[in-house]
Amino acid sequence: MNGKRAVLAGLMVARLGLVGCSGPGTKEDSMNKSFGTTKDGQAVERFTLKNKNGAEMQVMNFGAIVLSLKVPDRHGQLADVVLGCDQLSDYETKTPYFGAVVGRYGNRIAKGQFTLDGQTYTLATNNGPNALHGGLKGFDKVVWKAKALQTSAEPAVEFTYASKDGEEGYPGKLAVKMVYTLTDKNEFKIQYTATTDKPTVVNITHHSYFNLAGAGHGDILGHEMMINADRFTPVDVTLIPTGELRPVKDTPMDFTKPLAIGARVNQTDEQLKFGGGYDHNWVINQKQAGELTAAVRVAEPKSGRVLEVLTTEPGVQFYCGNFLDGTITGKGGQVYKHRYGFCLEPQHFPDSPNHANFPACVLRPGQTYQQTTIYRFSTVK
Ligand code: GLA
């Protein structure tokens, strides 16, 4: 890195360091700008994080949403690789979780019901007969407290949210903290922690839609993907796991070697039919539970951009944008058509509260939920 860039990067960090939510000058600082007001009158702020390489990420405290993420291609050209919208009102009403945190329980819970310590809890069914992504007003639709971290050498924003006891039907007051860092290795790192005052279930994930050619620049079917998983969790027609951990071998779910997403997505296969394409949870080959593990690698041949996902979670939902159908106009007026973006959502398995053989997602008072997920960007020649 040349000297001028180093000084500039230093300045960015320094300015970020000034913008704590309660600090003076918060509103005026260019790193921390208003992104409008929610329908119920809450002020929303946008933060810009820039690392030493010039990679840039914008986030806001509504849904802790990643608004944009600009990373270089093999020639150093930056492009925004996440789908999104220009306006807050669109995020409130019409996006399918673009860039958002998803919780308290990401993915599906069968028939919106689970039993914990002998007590049955009922959730809203917002996805056919099932509960999806934390409910009618999940973590993606609330305003988080946010502050730029002053202690971090790399630009970072801390988000906190206190989810009430009984919110969306879940027991226990859950205190959630997330730190988003844009590292100098061009990584978007998320560190999650949560504590509760009553036993509850927790499964928090991140829902950015990626397109490594640049958001809005065609579908993602030519991206080559490798998933470090020998098994996946097959689902029924409503996308609830049957409970089986099925080998991927000899199925279109086998991404143990790199293959284009589109190579088999339209094959005749019951699982692909149920998902309308890939919309499944893979069981990551983890040596030890909770160990940070390289889970997925995706390369886009034309730009040379590569995304690797590392996570401490046991599973990853790979969803290839099957529900995108051209009805959403995103950033800069671009229309997001079928499969214009893909999601990689590190998580516990769907419907875990109803499957004793899946890794448990129960959090009890005195315990701390922890997750680290890294979206690492690089390039190949
Ligand atoms: C997840 C689900 C999909 C869909 C998207 C949002 O990836 O598994 O079925 O709900 O979120 O549209």
Side-chain angles (χ1 to χ4, degrees):
M1 186 172 47
N2 67 32
K4 197 172 160 202
R5 274 165 102 193
V7 170
L8 270 176
L11 263 179
M12 288 296 177
V13 174
R15 293 192 72 185
L16 268 167
L18 282 175
V19 296
C21 263
S22 53
T26 299
K27 290 283 178 285
E28 291 76 28
D29 195 287
S30 66
M31 295 300 101
N32 185 9
K33 279 198 168 145
S34 168
F35 196 63
T37 308
T38 60
K39 278 180 291 177
D40 60 1
Q42 297 182 73
V44 173
E45 288 180 321
R46 176 176 62 184
F47 296 78
T48 302
L49 291 76
K50 212 162 185 170
N51 74 5
K52 285 184 180 157
N53 308 316
E56 189 195 290
M57 179 165 88
Q58 289 196 320
V59 299
M60 67 166 160
N61 62 335
F62 178 82
I65 283 171
V66 174
L67 293 163
S68 65
L69 183 51
K70 293 180 184 162
V71 292
D73 69 4
R74 63 162 70 87
H75 305 298
Q77 289 292 321
L78 293 181
D80 184 359
V81 295
V82 293
L83 275 55
C85 293
D86 286 326
Q87 289 188 32
L88 178 61
S89 56
D90 291 339
Y91 283 103
E92 287 190 272
T93 54
K94 63 177 188 196
T95 91
Y97 308 91
F98 285 160
V101 57
V102 172
R104 171 180 315 196
Y105 196 94
N107 216 314
R108 293 172 177 79
I109 294 184
K111 302 197 167 57
Q113 268 201 2
F114 66 96
T115 302
L116 179 59
D117 297 341
Q119 194 165 336
T120 299
Y121 296 92
T122 303
L123 314 167
T125 48
N126 56 344
N127 188 248
N130 304 317
L132 176 71
H133 289 342
L136 301 174
K137 191 172 178 184
F139 289 0
D140 60 299
K141 292 271 184 313
V142 299
V143 176
W144 291 64
K145 276 194 187 142
K147 64 175 184 192
L149 281 189
Q150 319 211 351
T151 46
S152 172
E154 295 164 315
V157 175
E158 179 190 282
F159 295 97
T160 49
Y161 178 63
S163 172
K164 292 195 188 75
D165 184 8
E167 189 172 294
E168 290 294 331
Y170 294 98
K173 180 179 170 196
L174 191 75
V176 189
K177 185 168 108 176
M178 306 189 292
V179 177
Y180 288 10
T181 306
L182 183 63
T183 76
D184 290 330
K185 289 192 219 146
N186 288 359
E187 297 164 330
F188 164 35
K189 180 165 81 180
I190 313 175
Q191 290 157 294
Y192 306 76
T193 52
T195 52
T196 185
D197 67 351
K198 284 184 192 161
T200 190
V201 295
V202 182
N203 189 29
I204 313 177
T205 190
H206 179 75
H207 212 293
S208 275
Y209 287 66
F210 298 100
N211 185 330
L212 299 179
H217 294 176
D219 65 48
I220 47 75
L221 298 175
H223 287 54
E224 285 162 13
M225 171 167 285
M226 192 165 75
I227 308 181
N228 178 19
D230 296 330
R231 293 169 301 168
F232 76 110
T233 51
V235 289
D236 68 13
V237 68
T238 72
L239 299 188
I240 292 294
T242 60
E244 186 192 350
L245 306 183
R246 186 180 292 172
V248 294
K249 204 171 172 344
D250 300 325
T251 79
M253 305 291 158
D254 188 351
F255 282 98
T256 51
K257 295 192 184 70
L259 206 65
I261 292 174
R264 298 161 302 178
V265 72
N266 294 323
Q267 276 183 11
T268 310
D269 173 89
E270 188 181 58
Q271 286 299 311
L272 289 173
K273 190 172 142 203
F274 289 165
Y278 295 109
D279 193 355
H280 296 81
N281 169 67
W282 271 255
V283 179
I284 299 166
N285 295 332
Q286 232 179 5
K287 285 208 187 77
Q288 223 184 317
E291 187 176 49
L292 188 70
T293 304
V296 186
R297 184 178 189 278
V298 192
E300 199 283 305
K302 286 196 200 115
S303 65
R305 287 193 188 90
V306 173
L307 165 62
E308 288 162 281
V309 182
L310 296 91
T311 187
T312 54
E313 287 297 286
V316 63
Q317 182 88 3
F318 163 45
Y319 165 62
C320 67
N322 307 310
F323 299 124
L324 296 175
D325 59 3
T327 51
I328 297 177
T329 301
K331 287 181 272 193
Q334 274 164 331
V335 175
Y336 296 143
K337 298 187 196 151
H338 195 216
R339 299 180 176 151
Y340 263 39
F342 64 90
C343 302
L344 291 166
E345 306 155 50
Q347 56 174 351
H348 273 55
F349 307 165
D351 198 30
S352 292
N354 293 310
H355 292 278
N357 62 323
F358 288 178
C361 60
V362 176
L363 184 72
R364 297 183 181 279
Q367 299 178 328
T368 301
Y369 168 91
Q370 289 189 52
Q371 179 193 156
T372 299
T373 286
I374 296 171
Y375 295 95
R376 178 185 290 161
F377 296 90
S378 59
T379 56
V380 280
K381 289 235 166 70

